[in-house]
Amino acid sequence: MKNFNFYAPTEMFFGKGEIKNLPNLISRYGKNVLLCYGGGSIKRNGIYDSIHKLLKDCTIIELSGIEPNPRIETVERGIKLCREHNIDVVLAAGGGSTIDCAKVVAAGVCYEGDAWNIVTNPSKIKAALPLVTILTLAATGSEMDPYAVISNMKTNEKIGTESQYILPKASILDPEYLYTVPKYQTAAGTADIMSHVIENYFSTEIDTFVQDKISEGLLEACIKYCPVALEDPENYEARANLMWASSLALNGLTGCGKNQAWSCHPIEHELSAFYDITHGVGLAIITPRWMRYILNDKTVDKFVQYGENVFHIQNTGDKFTVANEAIDKTEQFFKDCKIPMTLKELNIDETHFEKMAEDAVKFGGLQYAYVPLNKNDVINILKESL
Amino acid sequence: MKNFNFYAPTEMFFGKGEIKNLPNLISRYGKNVLLCYGGGSIKRNGIYDSIHKLLKDCTIIELSGIEPNPRIETVERGIKLCREHNIDVVLAAGGGSTIDCAKVVAAGVCYEGDAWNIVTNPSKIKAALPLVTILTLAATGSEMDPYAVISNMKTNEKIGTESQYILPKASILDPEYLYTVPKYQTAAGTADIMSHVIENYFSTEIDTFVQDKISEGLLEACIKYCPVALEDPENYEARANLMWASSLALNGLTGCGKNQAWSCHPIEHELSAFYDITHGVGLAIITPRWMRYILNDKTVDKFVQYGENVFHIQNTGDKFTVANEAIDKTEQFFKDCKIPMTLKELNIDETHFEKMAEDAVKFGGLQYAYVPLNKNDVINILKESL
């Protein structure tokens, strides 16, 4: 087990009606609020009205229309609003994209230069406005983590930044807010949660038993409850377990004591940067192909552990049989959730594979991944995903 | 799943040599340090010297001799030292008892009345000095939780208090510090970790899948690694997993979404209050007896889940067979760890059972436990433990 720091100070308010805490939370920081949200689903499901009612004593300025892969231009727009209106606290109501955008807005206000700099160089973040989030999608874990991913469509770059300063002060997680999440987004969000766990789980550290058990439990929760939520969108138990799994998958619990760079996320980021696809869908497509690509004598034991403990596959003696069955079951699970499982279905062909592979290695640190990947490896994995 | 708040803001520095962060951590708060420790094991294992070397620019005042069940008189002594020496930050180096004592010292400095008041009435805690801990025993979870248990031997009371103000700001967890922990304390500490998980696990909430999976994983870690640590005290993997399990067992992860009062801890607190026994040993003795006592048609399914997922017992159809085997295995595990498993071995007889049972119900909220317990129930469980 490698040395690690674990720091997850976000105050989590979990359950039905927990939005009632919003006035108290916001009043800790001031009265001028930047409300960040996306395409308007919060207007349809009533969260927008609740916020305005609860914060009637505050001045609310709005940054709306945040994109599913949030753009640097939107971040810049938010920073400008904060400066013009002397904003005290940023409130993000939405999924990971909205929260990510709000994080970089909060940090950007305290940074004098070009906001893209704090995306490409996280060490430039030295302060941020306080951030409170209201989560409406179980997926990215952004509600309890120090990460944000921002896209620059001009340069086809989608880059992650990280800073303790952008950790949300508090997050409100009401599973009932997930009742109106469409099936496609429910499935893609679950794939995102699972990918966060899988990226951390497959590691050369073999003595991280506690972390691995937590990981296996979160994966089992996704496998158990995603189909339930798809079948019965208002099933509280399913939504609650998926929502809590989303936060725990990426708050440090599954990755601490392990230092590897991730494998599938850097590749998927290129897909999103070039084709603006749904992040979780890209991950679902890449993950089983990556698994098959890296399965070998050195990695097979980890796949056996994964197969036995997550999918409860009987180990009849042949390790590779168990490993391949585990990978097949991973792919089949995503298929059963109705996720399109080929790039072709997303109208993606080989055109940009060279450049995407180059950038994935360059920006994603794939040479430090569980099984180090070079440009050719990435091209091969992408071709397998067609 | 019940609504919950999850708040675990302690910064955890985990791994070999992480004590190097101490000067930075302490300097956030000031230069006058109250160093709290117990019987002097930190002098034998070098931690004491490391602290003095690393904090050579600080003024260190010492509160030593903190008891295994820390007394209110010791807390009062610490508060007096803080006031006399204008202490800025409290540093606890030890196990849960030392940390618990340091917590109430830190809070007591900011309270004008009798320190026992903030033990019996946690709402009186309105502020505390910052607390940093260096953990030397994997057991209580005090390094990452808002609880402290203090004993008043005059009145035979051992009472827990709770406040967010006494959450440690940072904790240093170096598994190598556990290498010199005696076998008896290693086993008792593991029993304490397991009891924290078990108290939360057995709950009437049946939809807390994520919490239950984490609980099962932590229990499996204890069962796997305690025997290894007993056999091979310098096994880093075993010590690291036990140490991290200790923090996660009681930082909110296993209990969130569940609201039941605990069952075995209130009973054990009476044993410690009357006989000053090792907390984890008392818990190991009580737990399997409590399990047998509450096993019935309503609780059997939870015991089956426990048996299947923690001890991997094959379910051949009869629920009670699985449940009883799980309880037997729990008891056998503690026996195998060489924990004395009867009260007689600790020279405890029935003399005080009436009063103990009365106080356990009065102070421990046993009427709100998983299976509500009254005075007679407690007496019966204690008699079964003789």
Side-chain angles (χ1 to χ4, degrees):
Chain A
M1 200 183 298
K2 291 207 162 63
N3 284 19
F4 64 84
N5 292 2
F6 179 86
Y7 183 53
T10 304
E11 206 171 341
M12 308 298 282
F13 294 84
F14 192 101
K16 303 178 206 199
E18 287 290 320
I19 199 170
K20 67 173 189 264
N21 296 291
L22 195 59
N24 264 339
L25 286 171
I26 294 295
S27 71
R28 293 179 189 170
Y29 308 109
K31 282 191 167 291
N32 296 337
V33 182
L34 182 75
L35 171 61
C36 303
Y37 60 99
S41 67
I42 63 163
K43 288 193 177 166
R44 291 188 295 279
N45 62 18
I47 297 174
Y48 180 87
D49 285 342
S50 297
I51 291 169
H52 276 273
K53 212 172 285 177
L54 287 162
L55 299 183
K56 60 183 186 305
D57 297 333
C58 295
T59 302
I60 300 180
I61 304 298
E62 298 190 7
L63 176 66
S64 65
I66 296 172
E67 307 82 5
N69 288 309
R71 316 286 172 88
I72 188 64
E73 293 81 6
T74 313
V75 170
E76 287 161 353
R77 194 153 53 88
I79 294 170
K80 198 158 164 272
L81 286 172
C82 288
R83 288 182 179 149
E84 282 171 9
H85 298 278
N86 200 19
I87 293 295
D88 301 310
V89 48
V90 178
L91 173 62
S97 302
T98 295
I99 298 172
D100 282 8
C101 180
K103 282 174 171 175
V104 185
V105 168
V109 178
C110 305
Y111 177 74
E112 287 307 310
D114 185 349
W116 188 242
N117 292 342
I118 59 173
V119 177
T120 55
N121 188 347
S123 70
K124 289 192 185 292
I125 302 177
K126 304 286 187 200
L129 288 180
L131 170 66
V132 173
T133 88
I134 300 169
L135 189 65
T136 63
L137 186 70
T140 72
S142 191
E143 66 276 11
M144 202 185 181
D145 77 28
Y147 310 112
V149 180
I150 302 295
S151 293
N152 188 333
M153 300 313 275
K154 282 183 216 143
T155 57
N156 288 130
E157 287 176 302
K158 178 176 176 178
I159 292 178
T161 189
E162 174 186 359
S163 167
Q164 290 198 350
Y165 294 107
I166 60 176
L167 271 161
K169 297 291 181 197
S171 287
I172 294 166
L173 277 66
D174 183 338
E176 293 190 332
Y177 292 164
L178 303 182
Y179 288 175
T180 53
V181 173
K183 285 184 199 299
Y184 187 76
Q185 294 298 341
T186 298
T190 303
D192 195 16
I193 300 170
M194 291 176 71
S195 177
H196 295 154
V197 178
I198 288 169
E199 299 269 26
N200 287 329
Y201 185 73
F202 285 89
S203 152
T204 51
E205 298 294 318
I206 54 165
D207 58 355
T208 50
F209 185 89
V210 166
Q211 293 89 326
D212 280 7
K213 283 287 146 191
I214 292 172
S215 298
E216 290 160 3
L218 296 177
L219 290 171
E220 284 187 273
C222 291
I223 292 164
K224 177 181 168 86
Y225 286 115
C226 183
V228 178
L230 292 175
E231 183 68 31
D232 176 14
E234 303 199 1
N235 185 302
Y236 190 83
E237 175 178 346
R239 295 296 194 177
N241 277 282
L242 289 171
M243 200 170 211
W244 191 222
S246 131
S247 301
L248 300 187
L250 202 51
N251 74 346
L253 278 178
T254 65
C256 61
K258 307 178 171 198
N259 277 345
Q260 273 85 25
W262 285 9
S263 303
C264 297
H265 270 68
I267 303 176
E268 196 293 318
H269 281 185
E270 296 306 317
L271 288 171
S272 293
F274 277 79
Y275 295 98
D276 205 12
I277 65 168
T278 301
H279 179 52
V281 171
L283 291 168
I285 294 172
I286 299 293
T287 299
R289 279 66 182 230
W290 164 77
M291 286 179 162
R292 280 198 193 91
Y293 192 80
I294 64 154
L295 175 60
N296 61 36
D297 283 335
K298 277 189 191 160
T299 62
V300 68
D301 286 334
K302 192 75 192 187
F303 280 99
V304 171
Q305 184 193 333
Y306 172 70
E308 289 182 333
N309 295 345
V310 175
F311 290 102
H312 305 285
I313 298 167
Q314 202 82 26
N315 186 347
T316 52
D318 184 59
K319 288 179 184 180
F320 281 89
T321 305
V322 179
N324 277 305
E325 191 179 335
I327 298 171
D328 291 346
K329 279 184 186 287
T330 306
E331 187 166 3
Q332 191 59 46
F333 171 77
F334 293 136
K335 274 186 191 156
D336 292 344
C337 294
K338 304 278 188 292
I339 296 176
M341 284 300 287
T342 64
L343 293 178
K344 282 210 182 75
E345 291 169 75
L346 306 177
N347 298 314
I348 296 173
D349 62 20
E350 296 189 39
T351 311
H352 300 293
F353 280 6
E354 282 272 336
K355 173 76 173 132
M356 284 160 62
E358 207 175 292
D359 285 359
V361 173
K362 189 171 155 195
F363 297 118
L366 288 174
Q367 63 273 41
Y368 307 112
Y370 172 50
V371 173
L373 302 174
N374 61 29
K375 186 180 153 185
N376 275 337
D377 296 322
V378 176
I379 291 174
N380 287 333
I381 292 167
L382 286 168
K383 282 185 179 170
E384 291 294 326
S385 308
L386 275 170
Chain B
M1 199 183 300
K2 291 205 162 64
N3 282 21
F4 64 85
N5 291 2
F6 179 86
Y7 184 53
T10 305
E11 207 171 341
M12 307 298 283
F13 294 84
F14 192 100
K16 305 179 206 197
E18 287 290 322
I19 198 171
K20 67 172 190 269
N21 296 292
L22 194 59
N24 264 339
L25 286 171
I26 294 294
S27 71
R28 292 179 188 171
Y29 308 108
K31 282 189 167 292
N32 296 337
V33 181
L34 182 76
L35 172 61
C36 303
Y37 59 98
S41 67
I42 64 163
K43 288 192 175 165
R44 292 189 293 280
N45 62 19
I47 297 175
Y48 180 87
D49 286 343
S50 297
I51 292 170
H52 277 272
K53 211 171 285 174
L54 286 162
L55 299 183
K56 59 183 188 306
D57 297 333
C58 295
T59 302
I60 299 181
I61 305 299
E62 298 190 7
L63 175 68
S64 64
I66 296 171
E67 307 82 4
N69 289 309
R71 316 285 171 89
I72 188 64
E73 293 82 4
T74 313
V75 170
E76 288 162 351
R77 193 154 53 88
I79 294 169
K80 197 159 165 272
L81 286 172
C82 287
R83 288 182 178 149
E84 281 170 11
H85 298 277
N86 200 18
I87 293 296
D88 301 310
V89 47
V90 178
L91 173 61
S97 302
T98 295
I99 298 172
D100 281 8
C101 179
K103 282 175 170 174
V104 185
V105 168
V109 178
C110 305
Y111 176 73
E112 287 307 309
D114 185 347
W116 187 243
N117 293 342
I118 60 173
V119 177
T120 55
N121 188 346
S123 70
K124 289 191 183 295
I125 302 177
K126 303 287 188 201
L129 289 180
L131 169 67
V132 173
T133 88
I134 301 170
L135 188 66
T136 64
L137 186 70
T140 72
S142 191
E143 66 276 11
M144 201 182 184
D145 76 29
Y147 311 111
V149 180
I150 302 296
S151 293
N152 188 334
M153 300 314 273
K154 281 183 217 141
T155 57
N156 288 130
E157 287 176 302
K158 180 176 175 179
I159 293 178
T161 188
E162 174 186 0
S163 167
Q164 289 198 352
Y165 295 107
I166 60 174
L167 271 161
K169 298 290 181 197
S171 287
I172 295 166
L173 277 65
D174 183 338
E176 293 190 333
Y177 292 164
L178 304 182
Y179 288 174
T180 53
V181 173
K183 285 183 198 300
Y184 187 75
Q185 294 298 340
T186 298
T190 303
D192 195 15
I193 300 170
M194 291 175 71
S195 177
H196 296 154
V197 178
I198 288 169
E199 299 268 27
N200 286 329
Y201 185 74
F202 286 89
S203 151
T204 51
E205 298 294 317
I206 54 166
D207 59 354
T208 50
F209 184 88
V210 166
Q211 291 90 325
D212 281 7
K213 282 289 145 188
I214 292 172
S215 298
E216 290 161 4
L218 296 177
L219 290 171
E220 285 187 273
C222 291
I223 292 164
K224 178 181 167 84
Y225 287 115
C226 184
V228 178
L230 292 174
E231 184 68 30
D232 176 15
E234 303 199 359
N235 185 301
Y236 189 84
E237 176 177 346
R239 294 296 195 177
N241 277 283
L242 289 171
M243 199 170 212
W244 191 223
S246 130
S247 301
L248 300 187
L250 202 50
N251 73 347
L253 278 178
T254 64
C256 62
K258 308 176 170 200
N259 276 347
Q260 273 86 26
W262 285 9
S263 303
C264 298
H265 270 69
I267 304 175
E268 195 294 317
H269 280 184
E270 296 306 316
L271 289 171
S272 293
F274 276 80
Y275 296 97
D276 205 11
I277 65 169
T278 301
H279 178 53
V281 171
L283 291 168
I285 294 172
I286 299 292
T287 299
R289 277 67 180 230
W290 164 77
M291 286 178 162
R292 278 197 196 90
Y293 193 80
I294 65 154
L295 175 60
N296 61 36
D297 281 335
K298 275 191 193 160
T299 62
V300 67
D301 286 333
K302 192 76 191 184
F303 279 99
V304 171
Q305 184 193 333
Y306 172 70
E308 288 182 332
N309 296 344
V310 175
F311 289 103
H312 304 286
I313 297 168
Q314 202 81 27
N315 186 347
T316 52
D318 183 59
K319 288 179 182 180
F320 280 89
T321 305
V322 179
N324 278 303
E325 191 179 335
I327 298 171
D328 291 346
K329 280 187 186 285
T330 306
E331 186 166 4
Q332 191 59 46
F333 172 77
F334 292 136
K335 275 187 190 155
D336 292 343
C337 294
K338 304 278 188 291
I339 295 176
M341 285 299 287
T342 63
L343 293 179
K344 282 210 182 73
E345 289 168 77
L346 306 177
N347 298 313
I348 295 174
D349 61 20
E350 296 189 40
T351 312
H352 300 293
F353 280 5
E354 282 271 338
K355 172 76 173 135
M356 284 160 62
E358 204 175 293
D359 285 359
V361 173
K362 187 171 155 195
F363 296 119
L366 289 173
Q367 64 273 40
Y368 307 112
Y370 173 50
V371 173
L373 301 174
N374 63 29
K375 187 180 154 186
N376 275 337
D377 296 322
V378 176
I379 291 174
N380 287 333
I381 292 168
L382 284 168
K383 283 185 178 169
E384 291 294 325
S385 306
L386 278 168

